[in-house]
Amino acid sequence: MSEAAPSADAAAPPPAARRRAAPGQRREQILQCLAGMLEEASAERVTTSALAARLQVSEAALYRHFASKAQMFEALIDFIESSLFSLIGQIETQQPSGLVQAAHMVQALLAFADRNPGLCRVLVGDALVGEHARLRERVQRLHARLEASVRQSLKLARQQGDVLPGFDPAERARWLLTYASGGLVLRCRPGTRMAQPGDEAALFALLA
């Protein structure tokens, strides 16, 4: 994202002529900065004034790209949703086993949280405390959509004959997502952001 440094024999343009970041690039910079601040502030509410100060711009400059802070969070949730369900689509396409699909979907969620600690706080909801209620509702819908995907894969597993009689896909999907929710909370605690090596074994135990 940063511009390349000019060569030694090239004259630097005057400040007024320097190229400004395109609107899309500036939006991305704002969102990356917000995600980074969420990662640093384990229990603090990130304000627009602090965000503007970190970016060395005015608050008015932020509002040229986002109508509100809630809209910034909505853009982060959009990114989370598109990223996760792109991965889920790949899992469904590449993995024929319904049981393995379900386990890998939950693993994908937890791996995403490991790679994006600030966004993990959005998924857990503690980054949204004090923010607009519709943001928490949006995250709840994301979790419900993920549970529906896991449930569908478990229905496939039942059709494939890979589970015992009496296996309830809806119940097992709830178990898996309950485990995932605990894993997300654990990852938001200071000092516990490393991937948990026991996740795969625990997930398959819940499916047995």
Side-chain angles (χ1 to χ4, degrees):
M1 289 185 184
S2 59
E3 295 181 2
S7 59
D9 58 349
R18 287 178 184 162
R19 184 180 177 185
R20 294 184 178 182
Q25 291 177 319
R26 178 58 73 186
R27 282 174 60 90
E28 184 179 350
Q29 289 169 356
I30 292 169
L31 294 176
Q32 288 179 342
C33 187
L34 175 57
M37 292 180 73
L38 290 173
E39 179 179 345
E40 297 167 8
S42 59
E44 298 175 14
R45 188 175 181 223
V46 175
T47 63
T48 52
S49 60
L51 179 60
R54 177 69 63 90
L55 287 163
Q56 298 183 324
V57 299
S58 66
E59 286 188 72
L62 297 180
Y63 292 123
R64 284 198 289 272
H65 300 279
F66 295 96
S68 63
K69 187 167 66 163
Q71 195 177 84
M72 298 178 200
F73 275 108
E74 285 178 332
L76 288 181
I77 297 169
D78 284 341
F79 172 76
I80 294 170
E81 192 164 31
S82 64
S83 298
L84 283 176
F85 286 97
S86 175
L87 291 170
I88 286 172
Q90 293 174 32
I91 291 168
E92 290 172 332
T93 300
Q94 298 170 7
Q95 177 51 249
S97 166
L99 278 180
V100 177
Q101 282 182 15
H104 284 187
M105 287 175 186
V106 177
Q107 286 178 292
L109 170 65
L110 297 175
F112 179 87
D114 287 328
R115 293 191 301 270
N116 302 278
L119 300 185
C120 182
R121 290 191 58 219
V122 175
L123 282 165
V124 168
D126 71 330
L128 304 177
V129 173
E131 306 296 342
H132 200 287
R134 75 172 183 269
L135 298 172
R136 292 185 293 279
E137 293 167 0
R138 175 81 186 279
V139 171
Q140 288 170 0
R141 290 197 299 272
L142 188 157
H143 284 289
R145 184 183 171 192
L146 177 59
E147 183 174 336
S149 295
V150 172
R151 183 168 60 249
Q152 189 61 38
S153 289
L154 294 179
K155 287 180 180 178
L156 173 62
R158 186 171 61 183
Q159 293 169 4
Q160 292 170 332
D162 290 339
V163 297
L164 295 173
F167 182 94
D168 184 345
E171 179 183 56
R172 297 305 175 98
R174 284 194 298 272
W175 290 5
L176 291 178
L177 270 296
T178 298
Y179 177 88
S181 295
L184 293 175
V185 171
L186 179 63
R187 283 160 169 79
C188 287
R189 293 177 183 171
T192 57
R193 291 176 178 168
M194 299 297 291
Q196 305 300 309
D199 282 335
E200 184 173 6
L203 293 170
F204 280 103
L206 290 171
L207 292 171

